[in-house]
Amino acid sequence: MTRIAIIGGGISGLAAAFDLEQRRQAAHDVEYTLYESSSQLGGVLRTEYVHGCVVEAGPDSFVTEKPWAADLCRSLGLGDQLIGSNDADRKTYILTRGRLVEMPDGLMFMVPTKILPTALSPLFSWRTKLRMAQELFHPPRAVDHDESVADFVERHYGREMVDRLADPLLSGIYGGESSSLSVRAVLQRFAEMERTHGSLGRAMLAARRKMSSGPRKTAPPLFTSLRNGMQSLAEAIVARLNPASLLTNMPVKAVEPASGGWSVSVSAGAQAEHFDAVIVALPGPAAANALCNVSRDLSSELGAIQYGSSITVGLEYDLRVRRALPPGFGFLVPRSEGKRLLAATFVHNKFPHRTPEDRALLRCFFAGSNAESVWDLTDEQIVGIVRDELQQILGPQIRALRAEPLFARVYKWKGAMAQYGVGHLERLERIETLRKAMPGLALAGNGYRGIGVPDCVRSGRDAVKQLLS
Ligand SMILES: Cc1cc2nc3c(=O)[nH]c(=O)nc-3n(C[C@H](O)[C@H](O)[C@H](O)COP(=O)(O)OP(=O)(O)OC[C@H]3O[C@@H](n4cnc5c(N)ncnc54)[C@H](O)[C@@H]3O)c2cc1C
């Protein structure tokens, strides 16, 4: 019998546990125990139901292109609960000099693939539009070092593109600033396009031509979610696990090699448990603490993975606001606009079944230094800031926004979003070398090869594969 400990009950740890449970039921000789420090499993996957609205405190969906989360939902029998984003209404606005400007059609992240909509868009100055045209002539470039996303984008399209698009788009995903995120870790595909084509515009057009020459397929929705919210994924996993294997309110203090296996201790004085192998599915700094007696080098590499905090605020309004809001998924706010809010999603437009037909639900987002700047305020004060800024951004057209929201919810996530800094992939190689020298240890979580839910699911399953192969 192989006994495996899983430390951390977020989606990464739960995906590992579900994989082990499936193997156990298929008569593999394995057993697992999952340790979670809080009282609830699922980590940042939290959903509340208020006034008939599905309010996501953490992630609201995942990108459809990465299949691992949707595959997991199907294995759990949640296939009929999967819902796609309303892409027919997919418009995103960028606050530009105080005004919401629609992102032009054909932009793939920051790469224009349609000339006319970009050329006519008031989002960019003529100078940036000229840079876009010149970019098409960039020759292939062999780059032997990592750099920040901001430097990479600026090299291709200039500073305005960093400020108006790259930075706000990445803030919405990583909560971080493009000047400190690694292009190789965060925009791997674009770094590769530069190596092969030089121009990102040309590379993207070549990829589109290749796709359109193949058989015509209807594009899947950009985002996928679950009808009853993301927490239902965590709940469905937990319902399939062996209850005796799940230890909540059990913060792990230390994981150490012992007698050819691993010992896991939860508090000073308590008896440590012995396992054959261990999956540490924690954010980098928590993993560094738990493993500090195993290897100082490993612990310091894990501890060096930066994490940022974020705050989501859900606000419900009535039909007047719903009717008056612009169509689309929501808006992003470049830092240069001087607001604290980084983004807002019009939830009632983005997904079906999220609100009653006569309600509007806004999900507002703070991250990084913007989240830190309001962290110690009360929920009421934070809601006050959100309402002020919403009125400044949307208010001139929407008088009904001045009314009290029908409900307001504030969710704070301390150090939950990994920031892949410049040199992240090299750090992962060092971590992998150190880990391989410690048989029976595997790492999973959002600190390594993807922060999104699908990548976390994959990391949990890969950790099991590593240990059992
Ligand atoms: C506000 C927000 C919005 C997001 N939006 C999206 C989105 O829309 N789409 C998307 O794909 N991704 C999104 N993400 C990212 C994604 O949700 C996370 O990266 C992912 O859920 C992390 O899962 P995890 O299991 O690796 O970590 P976590 O969920 O952080 O879980 C780690 C668990 O370990 C526990 N723990 C910590 N220390 C110990 C210890 N010593 N002993 C035992 N247990 C411990 C914690 O309590 C926690 O439950 C978002 C994240 C946030 C915070």
Side-chain angles (χ1 to χ4, degrees), residues 8-11 14 36-50 53-61 225-226 228-235 238 248-249 312-314 354 361 363 409-414 416 453:
I11 188 61
L14 287 177
E36 164 56 43
S37 57
S38 72
S39 58
Q40 199 175 330
L41 293 162
V44 303
L45 269 61
R46 293 277 166 94
T47 309
E48 265 197 271
Y49 307 100
V50 194
C53 295
V54 178
V55 188
E56 296 288 13
D60 70 344
S61 59
S225 191
L226 285 152
N228 294 322
M230 294 294 289
Q231 189 177 315
S232 60
L233 169 57
E235 285 166 356
V238 172
T248 49
N249 296 312
T312 54
V313 178
R354 286 282 144 117
L361 180 59
R363 169 184 155 98
R409 291 285 187 282
V410 177
Y411 308 97
K412 291 181 175 173
W413 300 108
K414 189 82 188 160
V453 172

Side-chain angles (χ1 to χ4, degrees), residues 7-13 35-38 40-46 57-63 172-173 230 250-253 281-283 286 290 310-312 350 363 365 413 416-417 444-447 450-454 456 459:
I7 321 298
I11 188 61
S12 306
Y35 293 83
E36 164 56 43
S37 57
S38 72
Q40 199 175 330
L41 293 162
V44 303
L45 269 61
R46 293 277 166 94
D60 70 344
S61 59
F62 46 85
V63 285
I173 303 170
M230 294 294 289
M250 209 56 95
V252 166
K253 291 269 182 290
L282 298 175
S310 51
I311 301 175
T312 54
K350 186 171 174 185
R363 169 184 155 98
F365 186 64
W413 300 108
M417 294 181 112
N446 68 5
I451 181 179
V453 172
C456 291
S459 80

